[in-house]
Amino acid sequence: MIQKNINLQSFNTFNINAVAGMYANITDEKQLIELSDTKEWNDNPIFVLGGGSNLLFQNAPKGLTIHVDVDGIEIIDETDDYVLVKAGAGVVWNDLVEYALKNNLGGIENLILIPGKCGAAPMQNIGAYGVELESVFDSLSCFLINEKRFRQFDKDECQFGYRDSVFKNKLKGEAIITSITLRLTKKHELNTSYGAIQSKLEEFGIISPTIQDVAKAVKEIRQSKLPNPAVTPNAGSFFKNPIVDNSVVSKIQEQHPQVPVYKIDNSNTKIPAGWLIEQCGWKGRTVDGIGTWKHQALVIVNNGTENGKKIVEFARKIQSDVFNKFGIKLEPEVNIIG
């Protein structure tokens, strides 16, 4: 079950050369129970790998790399209003979205084309175009590494926040997600107010959109702005959109009245990180084979390096410029390993 010295370059969308000293591919939950009794498990740190679409190897992972590849999509409950759909952690996220669209199940149409696998979705509470995973989340199953047992987590126990969950904080490195269950709708409430969705629907000549129409609009918008990782190695949005105090926004508006803002509550506002990066002159800029995407400054692209440390250095230069210009510290959305 355990393999030695496996190159993970094909398992990460940044295309970074990183060799796992010990590697195990998990296609069935039972394999985790067997693996947890081995010396390799008990004597080494555990690194969990999914689709590799939201990480950057600065160094090779230490210890035993667990590649979660549990497959399968199934309906486990159904009412007149909703359906509970369970997906293995190894299911490609976009395949789940396409499954929902094919079966006219709503709630995740705005999340089409987000790269990665289902197991990573709750870890960072994936979101796009006004929708976050927590809005449809029901529960998940995971294997607790130290306790060597399976446990269910409901929505509240996951402690979801903006690109955040208990699995990135208190339980970081302590749980292996094996499946997720979502509550998808039969009677849909569409979210078309974010970004250019509504204008794209109008461009299509659609007045009463379906979930399929919304997905088509989001798909076209994403494809026009974001690079395909299979062609141009990247991990999507590299930084989180910062949420700042309204006083910070007011100060920025004095010099940049056109700054796009999204109100969170009476005290806090979200500012697009891509806009901040672009104002610092980084959009489309390339340094030593590493750059920001020409259509979206929030995406860092790899144009040839196999060294993750160089990408980290590039990202830090962007962080420094944004902080010096706006007083805002950008936080990576990408998980930096090593």
Side-chain angles (χ1 to χ4, degrees):
M1 186 185 299
I2 297 176
Q3 300 173 270
K4 299 293 181 68
N5 300 321
I6 299 299
N7 194 322
L8 303 178
Q9 190 163 11
S10 63
F11 297 134
N12 73 94
T13 58
F14 255 128
N15 199 36
I16 298 301
N17 189 339
V19 176
M22 295 179 288
Y23 169 92
N25 187 61
I26 300 299
T27 58
D28 189 293
E29 290 182 337
K30 295 177 183 178
Q31 292 175 309
L32 287 172
I33 298 174
E34 298 172 14
L35 196 60
S36 67
D37 284 333
T38 64
K39 185 176 185 296
E40 290 85 350
W41 178 291
N42 292 303
D43 292 350
N44 294 281
I46 305 295
F47 172 71
V48 182
L49 176 65
S53 64
N54 194 52
L55 59 80
L56 171 59
F57 288 116
Q58 184 173 219
N59 292 296
K62 297 178 181 178
L64 174 61
T65 294
I66 306 293
H67 188 194
V68 184
D69 209 16
V70 180
D71 203 5
I73 301 173
E74 61 177 322
I75 293 174
I76 59 174
D77 193 19
E78 185 171 1
T79 71
D80 291 338
D81 297 322
Y82 68 85
V83 172
L84 290 183
V85 177
K86 179 180 178 181
V91 172
V92 173
W93 171 259
N94 202 59
D95 288 349
L96 179 59
V97 177
E98 294 289 359
Y99 171 91
L101 293 171
K102 181 180 179 180
N103 291 278
N104 201 34
L105 301 174
I108 55 176
E109 57 275 1
N110 292 51
L111 307 182
I112 194 168
L113 285 191
I114 291 181
K117 296 189 176 180
C118 288
M123 289 189 67
Q124 63 167 24
N125 187 23
I126 61 170
Y129 295 93
V131 173
E132 291 186 327
L133 181 74
E134 65 175 311
S135 66
V136 296
F137 186 84
D138 179 80
S139 60
L140 63 79
S141 177
C142 69
F143 189 76
L144 298 177
I145 292 172
N146 295 325
E147 299 179 26
K148 298 184 180 182
R149 66 182 178 91
F150 283 98
R151 187 192 153 180
Q152 295 287 119
F153 280 77
D154 63 23
K155 180 177 177 179
D156 290 339
E157 290 173 314
C158 289
Q159 299 176 24
F160 289 126
Y162 174 61
R163 302 297 176 269
D164 198 16
S165 73
V166 69
F167 303 103
K168 291 184 71 174
N169 294 289
K170 184 179 179 181
L171 293 180
K172 184 175 182 179
E174 296 185 17
I176 301 174
I177 297 172
T178 56
S179 68
I180 65 172
T181 300
L182 305 184
R183 184 182 297 262
L184 303 181
T185 62
K186 290 183 175 181
K187 301 174 182 179
H188 314 314
E189 293 183 11
L190 304 183
N191 188 327
T192 62
S193 61
Y194 196 93
I197 297 177
Q198 188 58 48
S199 60
K200 180 62 69 172
L201 291 170
E202 292 172 0
E203 181 183 317
F204 293 158
I206 296 172
I207 299 174
S208 301
T210 63
I211 58 172
Q212 291 79 11
D213 294 327
V214 172
K216 180 182 177 182
V218 171
K219 191 172 184 177
E220 282 211 7
I221 295 167
R222 287 186 67 95
Q223 289 177 330
S224 69
K225 290 184 175 182
L226 303 175
N228 182 346
V231 178
T232 305
N234 73 91
S237 299
F238 196 92
F239 299 104
K240 297 179 183 179
N241 291 318
I243 297 174
V244 299
D245 187 271
N246 289 341
S247 62
V248 175
V249 176
S250 297
K251 187 175 180 181
I252 293 175
Q253 287 174 326
E254 291 176 4
Q255 298 293 324
H256 305 273
Q258 79 282 13
V259 56
V261 295
Y262 300 92
K263 183 179 179 181
I264 301 298
D265 53 41
N266 291 331
S267 302
N268 300 287
T269 298
K270 182 193 298 183
I271 300 178
W275 183 88
L276 296 169
I277 295 167
E278 184 174 351
Q279 298 307 305
C280 293
W282 281 97
K283 185 176 182 180
R285 184 174 168 185
T286 299
V287 179
D288 295 330
I290 304 160
T292 53
W293 185 238
K294 57 187 176 182
H295 299 306
Q296 173 51 272
L298 187 55
V299 178
I300 293 178
V301 295
N302 178 10
N303 294 317
T305 186
E306 295 184 356
N307 188 338
K309 291 181 179 179
K310 291 183 178 180
I311 297 176
V312 173
E313 292 171 2
F314 182 89
R316 286 174 178 163
K317 291 176 183 177
I318 293 175
Q319 287 175 301
S320 178
D321 281 3
V322 169
F323 183 79
N324 290 336
K325 187 176 181 68
F326 296 105
I328 295 174
K329 184 178 180 180
L330 294 181
E331 295 182 25
E333 183 173 322
V334 169
N335 187 20
I336 298 173
I337 308 301

